[in-house]
């Protein structure tokens, strides 16, 4: 007999008749402490879901092999960020039957009287970072968050305040479908200083927009920067194209300056993360300001001297080097060592010596690489007409890390 996974909805005392019948006939009940407590008088053997989950799965399989009637109790709907997905994956779809029920997000949508399909849902259960939330907020007006004991509503609000975001309202739904139910909206500042019931979900509502629309091709004058220190828009576009970014990539923008490349890279790496590394404090302030004004929530400024400050960053799928190469190849070699196998690195060079240094590094590693020169000219008014003013030419060197290549500086074959 297949394992039955029964959704309890939000109120175990108000279950459909079919759900109640299956639970009554169970000889083994599996669930979390709170779910099992709702059926403490049931005569079935109880298996509490605890870590490690592998042990619980083995107990379920053993009960199934002994032809016992196993019912797994799940909050809300079992296949909505619930245990049902794990059981189907681990036991196989032919060994699992799922009885659905109402979800917390479904109930919250009803309270707000908004279409459920308009809400993007993110689960932060057991997650150590808010990246899924930040990615969702970039794309959707309504974002629901399934919280846990660590990722509480006040922490979510503070994470956005830390990025200078102030155009979201937070709806908090506490103890839904109970006598203590409370639904209220808060500013992020209010939510950051409020303690909520342990049983809660959050829905963010976007009520405004960043000062500057986040996208590709942001005009250079929109970026706060030191003097004219910026990768110009035409060159920036060519460099981003050379990176071949995918949505989930982790990106390093090294020698980030004002962070223009990192900000626009976050549009393409919309489910990844972007680290903008810069050693000068004033420029790091510009990166933070630009990320705030443009709503580039996935950009993380890193203030430090390379290569030492790279040690604590996650390995990148893509690296952009726009500054900080210097006379030594130390930074470039360190970056190449950390790049994941199959990853790609793009280096912008203005000086011939930097071009030679980049090519020599990639040739030593045995990485295939290509060189493109971009020489933009920008139109400017002159005598009632227009002329083209040439910018500095930039060499774009792009290389792919081949699997099994040697470490930088050790020799890895011919280009």
């Amino acid at each position: 007999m297949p394992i039955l996974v029964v959704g309890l909805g939000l109120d175990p005392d108000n279950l459909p008749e079919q759900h109640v019948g299956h639970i009554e006939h169970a000889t083994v009940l599996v669930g979390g402490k709170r779910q099992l407590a709702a059926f403490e008088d049931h005569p079935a053997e109880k298996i509490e879901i605890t870590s490690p989950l592998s042990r619980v799965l083995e107990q379920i399989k053993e009960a199934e092999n002994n032809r016992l009637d196993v019912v797994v109790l799940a909050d809300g709907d079992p296949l909505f960020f619930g245990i049902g997905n794990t059981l189907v994956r681990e036991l196989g779809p032919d060994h699992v039957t799922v009885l659905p029920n109402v979800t917390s997000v479904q109930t919250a949508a009803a309270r707000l009287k908004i279409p459920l399909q308009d809400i993007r849902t993110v689960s932060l259960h057991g997650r150590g970072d808010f990246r899924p939330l930040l990615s969702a907020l970039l794309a959707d007006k309504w974002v629901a968050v399934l919280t846990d004991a660590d990722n509480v509503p006040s922490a979510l609000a503070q994470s956005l305040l830390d990025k200078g975001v102030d155009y979201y309202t937070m709806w908090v739904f506490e103890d839904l479908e109970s006598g203590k139910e409370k639904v209220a909206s808060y500013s992020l500042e209010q939510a950051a200083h409020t303690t909520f019931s342990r049983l809660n979900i959050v829905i963010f509502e976007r009520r405004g927009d960043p000062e500057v629309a986040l996208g590709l091709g942001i005009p250079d004058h929109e970026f706060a920067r030191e003097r004219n220190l910026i990768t110009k828009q035409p060159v920036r576009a060519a460099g981003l194209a050379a990176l071949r970014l995918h949505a989930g990539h982790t990106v390093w923008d090294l020698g980030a300056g004002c962070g223009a490349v990192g900000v626009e890279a976050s549009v393409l790496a919309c489910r990844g993360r972007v680290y903008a590394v810069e050693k000068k404090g004033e420029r790091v302030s510009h990166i933070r300001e630009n990320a705030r004004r443009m709503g580039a929530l996935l950009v993380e400024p890193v203030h430090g001297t390379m290569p030492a400050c790279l040690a604590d960053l996650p390995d990148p799928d893509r690296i952009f080097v726009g500054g900080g190469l210097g006379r030594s190849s130390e930074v470039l070699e360190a970056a190449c060592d950390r790049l994941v196998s199959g990853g790609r690195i793009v280096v912008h060079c203005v000086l011939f010596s930097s071009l030679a240094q980049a090519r020599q590094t990639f040739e030593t590693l045995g990485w295939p690489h290509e060189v493109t020169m971009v020489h933009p000219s920008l139109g400017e008014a002159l005598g009632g007409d227009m002329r083209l003013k040439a910018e500095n030419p930039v060499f774009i060197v792009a290389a792919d890390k081949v699997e099994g290549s040697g470490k930088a500086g050790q020799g890895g074959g011919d280009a």
Side-chain angles (χ1 to χ4, degrees):
M1 176 179 291
I3 304 298
L4 275 171
V5 189
V6 176
L8 298 180
L10 301 182
D11 183 5
D13 294 328
N14 189 25
L15 292 175
E17 199 171 303
Q18 181 189 26
H19 294 48
V20 173
H22 284 298
I23 293 173
E24 286 179 348
H25 288 92
T27 53
V28 177
L29 282 180
V30 184
K33 181 179 293 186
R34 189 162 54 84
Q35 289 82 38
L36 292 177
F39 299 91
E40 60 182 352
D41 295 329
H42 196 294
E45 175 191 352
K46 310 291 198 317
I47 298 176
E48 184 179 342
I49 296 176
T50 57
S51 295
L53 191 57
S54 57
R55 181 185 60 81
V56 179
L57 290 171
E58 286 302 318
Q59 290 176 288
I60 293 174
K61 290 177 184 178
E62 182 180 354
E64 182 190 22
N65 291 336
N66 291 331
R67 299 187 178 277
L68 299 177
D69 292 325
V70 181
V71 171
V72 180
L73 306 173
D75 273 337
D77 185 87
L79 290 175
F80 188 74
F81 298 99
I83 189 70
N85 184 51
T86 300
L87 294 173
V88 170
R89 183 179 66 247
E90 296 295 330
L91 304 179
D94 294 338
H95 294 268
V96 177
T97 297
V98 178
L99 300 184
N101 210 318
V102 177
T103 71
S104 56
V105 176
Q106 193 174 353
T107 304
R111 298 291 188 270
L112 293 180
K113 299 177 178 62
I114 58 175
L116 180 61
Q117 68 268 19
D118 289 350
I119 303 176
R120 172 94 166 266
T121 304
V122 171
S123 176
L124 294 182
H125 279 275
R127 295 196 67 103
D129 67 80
F130 293 152
R131 184 163 47 107
L133 169 61
L134 301 177
S135 297
L137 290 172
L138 287 171
D140 295 273
K141 176 182 178 179
W142 299 95
V143 177
V145 186
L146 305 181
T147 60
D148 65 11
D150 296 317
N151 298 314
V152 295
S154 58
L156 305 187
Q158 190 61 53
S159 72
L160 295 185
L161 290 172
D162 290 344
K163 291 180 173 293
V165 173
D166 59 2
Y167 41 85
Y168 288 96
T169 290
M170 176 186 279
W171 291 87
V172 183
F173 304 79
E174 302 176 76
D175 300 304
L176 282 171
E177 294 286 1
S178 77
K180 300 183 293 181
E181 179 177 311
K182 180 182 178 182
V183 177
S185 65
Y186 303 83
S187 70
L188 297 181
E189 189 70 39
Q190 290 171 329
H193 296 91
T194 302
T195 300
F196 298 94
S197 167
R198 186 178 66 84
L199 295 178
N200 70 76
I201 71 163
V202 167
I203 292 184
F204 285 97
E205 178 187 2
R206 182 197 288 263
R207 291 195 171 178
D209 293 297
E211 295 174 29
V212 179
L214 180 63
L216 300 177
I218 299 172
D220 292 347
H221 70 264
E222 296 285 8
F223 288 93
R225 60 189 187 275
E226 178 186 337
R227 298 190 304 276
N228 202 30
L229 187 66
I230 186 172
T231 301
K232 302 293 194 301
Q233 191 276 321
V235 179
R236 194 161 69 240
L240 288 168
L243 279 170
R244 301 175 186 170
L245 290 165
H246 294 176
H249 278 159
T250 295
V251 183
W252 287 2
D253 177 9
L254 304 185
C258 70
V261 171
V263 164
E264 293 196 359
S266 73
V267 177
L268 299 170
C270 58
R271 293 196 301 273
R273 60 184 75 184
V274 178
Y275 295 92
V277 183
E278 177 55 56
K279 69 177 181 180
K280 292 193 175 181
E282 182 181 1
R283 297 176 187 174
V284 174
S285 297
H286 288 151
I287 295 171
R288 290 197 176 95
E289 174 68 5
N290 290 327
R292 182 196 66 79
R293 293 183 63 241
M294 296 162 190
L297 302 178
L298 297 176
V299 174
E300 293 290 341
V302 177
H303 186 193
T305 301
M306 298 184 290
C309 69
L310 304 178
D312 294 331
L313 302 185
D315 290 341
D317 303 286
R318 297 291 187 267
I319 299 175
F320 175 80
V321 184
L325 202 56
R327 297 180 180 276
S328 167
S329 61
E330 181 184 17
V331 170
L332 184 57
E333 290 176 359
C336 289
D337 286 344
R338 293 288 305 281
L339 186 64
V340 302
S341 181
R344 189 168 172 86
I345 182 170
V346 171
V347 183
H348 280 195
C349 306
V350 175
L351 303 176
F352 286 116
S353 58
S354 298
L355 171 63
Q357 182 187 127
R359 292 194 65 234
Q360 179 59 49
T361 298
F362 298 141
E363 286 173 359
T364 300
L365 287 167
W367 293 7
H369 59 280
E370 58 208 37
V371 179
T372 304
M373 188 184 78
V374 178
H375 192 178
S377 295
L378 306 180
E380 66 175 15
L382 178 66
D385 203 339
M386 179 178 284
R387 71 160 186 164
L388 288 174
K389 180 182 179 181
E391 299 286 339
N392 284 331
V394 176
F395 297 101
I396 300 176
V397 188
D400 297 303
K401 184 167 186 175
V402 296
E403 192 169 349
S405 59
K407 282 192 173 285
Q410 294 184 2
D414 298 327

